[in-house]
Amino acid sequence: MSGIALGIEIVSVFFLALFLLHRYGDFKKQHRLVIVGTLLAWYLCFLIVFIIPLDVSTTIYNRCIARHAVTPVPSNVSLPSPTPGIVSNASTEHHLPSSDKIRSSDSSLEECSKPWSYIPRGIMPIFWRVVYWTSQFLTWILLPFMQSYARSGGFSITGKIKTALIENAIYYGTYLLIFGALLIYVAVNPKLHLEWYQLQTIGIAAANTWGLFLLVLLMGYGLVEIPRSQWNGAKKGYLLMKTYFKAAKLMTEKADAEETLEDVMEEVRKVNECIKYNHPLRKCVDTILKKCPAEYQEKMGRNMDDYEDFEEKNISYPSEKTLVKLHKQVIYAVQRHRRTQVQWSILLEQAFHLEDVAKNEGSAAKQFVHSFPHQEPESWIMRRLYTPTVEWYWECLLRPWCARILAVILALFSTVVVWSECTFFSAKPVLSLFAVFIQQAEQTHNYIYVEVVCFLSIFFLSICVYSTVFRIRVFNYYYLASHHQTDAYSLLFSGMLFCRLTPPLCLNFLGLTHMDVSISHEDIEPTAYTSIMGSLRVLPLIADVFYIYYPMLVLILCIATYFSLGTRCLNLLGFQQFMGDNDMTSDLTDEGKELIRREKRKRQRLEDGETRRREWKERYPTNREDTSRNRNVNSDQKEPTYTEMTTNRSSKYTRASNRTERDRIELLQDAEPLDFNADTFNDDPLDSESGRYQPGGRYLSMSQSNSRIFDDV
């Protein structure tokens, strides 16, 4: 059972990361390297969060074994004193007796029962090294390079790599300059003797410091906004008003995206007309055309018969650099236009559903009635279980109360986190509530309770941080849009953020639970994760000041988020945000309401048209079947050839073969019109001998001889 828990979590976390990436990314259209890089970054970060509880329970068991060891180390054996401020693996192992030196009594063995998820020694340190250094390689080296590669408008792999290297030269050069200056300072100063382990610890501390700085900002927003969003979601009409507000803003963005696409397509059209088939840059133009929407490709389809020589005319042709820039603009404009179109459709469905909820709240029949049928057919199980009555009770009655209860629970969790962040530095007495829970479970050796508390705690912290990453939007450069509408740049940027935020998040959690020996100030075995991170005593300023007092800033950030100070500042800067007491919000809400009403009328007309067609088919099924049957019969008949048609026409208007030439001549002459009073009717209107025409006659249809009326039908 020791490795089963670890294996189950490794597989489960992989499918969780794959599911989230499928929701936001597009596996069919985006580059495979982008998908693999983002999936690996997300997977490693989620894996760290889910494996930490197993590390905590295993460490508690190892500490229990160390405390209840009966045979101590002999007194004549001197133990090497550990390096001041550095807790290394070697020094820890001297304090811990090996399995062959431990002689425990039966009571101690019963008290230190092995947890079901116990991981043997030596596995977790190797696991953490691989996971941590892989994530750091991704976030600092590979993902920034792939990000520039994905945004590049080059037409070849070599061109994209060259552009990515140039863009990241300053990025990489800055870090190399800082690291080189640090090495020179250490080499020149004779008082500093840093070993490789200490240099490694300094690098890890620098990365964690940057991540902790951003972590507290994101956590302060999520601790307040997540419970408040659940509470506001239970209010009647709040979500509907916010949806109207989003509709007005999204329509503006949608119109801007369409205008940008039109401008870019106009530039592409000019380039397409300028560069002919035999120009050396024609392949680049064809590559740009492939990225354009299908309707624009049809309009700008070049004429393959135009064999003009581009060298004979004095025309200023665009350079390759200009085409690279245009290619980049086309990719961005098409992606943004597609994203706004999909988001508009999704927002319309949400608005229609919320309006249906508002209408059905006062329904006496207690059955949920939709204004429009579902776009996708429901499964048989949903039709059986999720009936209109069940849907009414859930949407109109149970869901608001469930949202309120969940909001209260999340608010309690947020309060516990804020209190623990402000008091976790106190080792005696222990004020952090997370540390109190873990220590009580450690005394009773209830490892399942330990893992459950650790999992819920770090899961809530990660939700507060990661949800903020998914919500924030930096203009149009970074934006995670669901329903496969996130571009490659934003996916890779999110992977970079996750890899930089997850290690300090886990260290902060271990500090809240006092599992970090630098917080508890006890000479006990540390967790495998903190042993890989190294001791921060090498940098006293960071260990004793920044890591202790900076997390207290989360209290100020929570207060600022509660009073919506950030939202008000954005409104003052011109970025409209949803606020109930703002005139601009009211105007945008009214505008969005009118837009939704207009779209609803448009869809209602389409639904009425479909209903009328359906009723017509149901009312007159026989006539349509006969018409279609006759159509099929006529189509099955063999079409006559041109020769057969000519022969039939000649036989119809000609009685004998000797009159064919005369008929052709007479057709070119001005023949007298037929008298409608002809007594007889003949096939040849110009042949008086056959009785077809007589001076005082009339048409055959008016004569008394009705025997050959339908001969010509």
Side-chain angles (χ1 to χ4, degrees), residues 29-40:
K29 296 182 180 180
Q30 290 173 342
H31 200 279
R32 293 181 180 178
L33 292 179
V34 175
I35 298 297
V36 173
T38 307
L39 177 62
L40 184 59

Side-chain angles (χ1 to χ4, degrees), residues 493-684:
F493 189 75
S494 66
M496 292 170 54
L497 285 179
F498 286 160
C499 291
R500 297 180 187 183
L501 291 172
T502 303
L505 172 65
C506 295
L507 281 179
N508 181 255
F509 166 74
L510 294 176
L512 294 177
T513 57
H514 286 191
M515 294 299 296
D516 190 354
V517 293
S518 62
I519 301 297
S520 60
H521 303 290
E522 296 180 2
D523 191 10
I524 55 178
E525 179 183 4
T527 60
Y529 187 81
T530 53
S531 64
I532 297 302
M533 293 291 103
S535 176
L536 296 178
R537 295 302 175 186
V538 181
L539 302 173
L541 180 64
I542 296 178
D544 298 334
V545 179
F546 186 78
Y547 275 19
I548 298 298
Y549 297 103
Y550 180 72
M552 297 181 184
L553 188 62
V554 72
L555 177 62
I556 301 176
L557 294 173
C558 289
I559 295 174
T561 305
Y562 179 79
F563 290 103
S564 303
L565 297 182
T567 303
R568 299 178 188 277
C569 292
L570 290 176
N571 274 329
L572 293 177
L573 294 176
F575 301 98
Q576 288 80 15
Q577 303 294 318
F578 183 76
M579 297 181 62
D581 55 349
N582 193 357
D583 295 336
M584 181 63 69
T585 301
S586 302
D587 296 339
L588 290 177
T589 301
D590 296 339
E591 180 182 351
K593 186 176 182 180
E594 184 62 31
L595 290 173
I596 297 298
R597 187 180 303 170
R598 186 187 309 166
E599 293 292 334
K600 192 171 186 178
R601 289 196 300 264
K602 186 187 301 183
R603 182 171 294 189
Q604 188 66 47
R605 288 195 297 268
L606 294 176
E607 292 291 335
D608 293 342
E610 292 293 334
T611 303
R612 286 194 296 268
R613 292 192 201 95
R614 198 179 304 112
E615 292 177 353
W616 180 269
K617 290 180 181 179
E618 293 176 356
R619 184 178 301 177
Y620 304 104
T622 307
N623 296 338
R624 285 190 169 272
E625 291 178 0
D626 294 342
T627 305
S628 61
R629 190 183 296 112
N630 293 335
R631 226 180 253 130
N632 293 333
V633 170
N634 293 334
S635 62
D636 292 339
Q637 293 179 355
K638 184 179 179 181
E639 295 184 1
T641 61
Y642 177 77
T643 307
E644 294 175 353
M645 293 172 62
T646 306
T647 306
N648 295 335
R649 194 181 297 112
S650 301
S651 61
K652 179 177 179 180
Y653 292 102
T654 307
R655 282 288 182 179
S657 60
N658 57 358
R659 296 204 306 255
T660 303
E661 187 66 20
R662 191 195 61 181
D663 291 339
R664 293 177 181 176
I665 297 174
E666 293 294 339
L667 286 174
L668 300 175
Q669 298 177 358
D670 294 331
E672 295 182 2
L674 295 175
D675 189 0
F676 67 95
N677 290 323
D679 293 331
T680 60
F681 183 81
N682 199 348
D683 291 341
D684 191 357

Side-chain angles (χ1 to χ4, degrees), residues 229-245:
S229 62
Q230 294 294 327
W231 182 265
N232 291 333
K235 295 181 180 179
K236 294 183 179 180
Y238 176 84
L239 287 180
L240 187 58
M241 293 296 104
K242 193 171 183 179
T243 304
Y244 289 153
F245 179 82

Side-chain angles (χ1 to χ4, degrees), residues 442-508:
E442 185 177 359
Q443 294 175 1
T444 59
H445 304 283
N446 191 348
Y447 298 107
I448 296 179
Y449 175 78
V450 170
E451 293 178 2
V452 170
V453 171
C454 290
F455 175 76
L456 292 178
S457 303
I458 196 170
F459 183 74
F460 178 72
L461 292 175
S462 60
I463 287 294
C464 293
V465 176
Y466 293 160
S467 63
T468 309
V469 175
F470 281 96
R471 286 185 180 185
I472 61 176
R473 177 176 181 178
V474 184
F475 300 104
N476 289 317
Y477 294 101
Y478 172 75
Y479 181 39
L480 290 177
S482 58
H483 298 84
H484 321 290
Q485 299 304 313
T486 306
D487 57 353
Y489 182 87
S490 299
L491 286 177
L492 294 172
F493 189 75
S494 66
M496 292 170 54
L497 285 179
F498 286 160
C499 291
R500 297 180 187 183
L501 291 172
T502 303
L505 172 65
C506 295
L507 281 179
N508 181 255

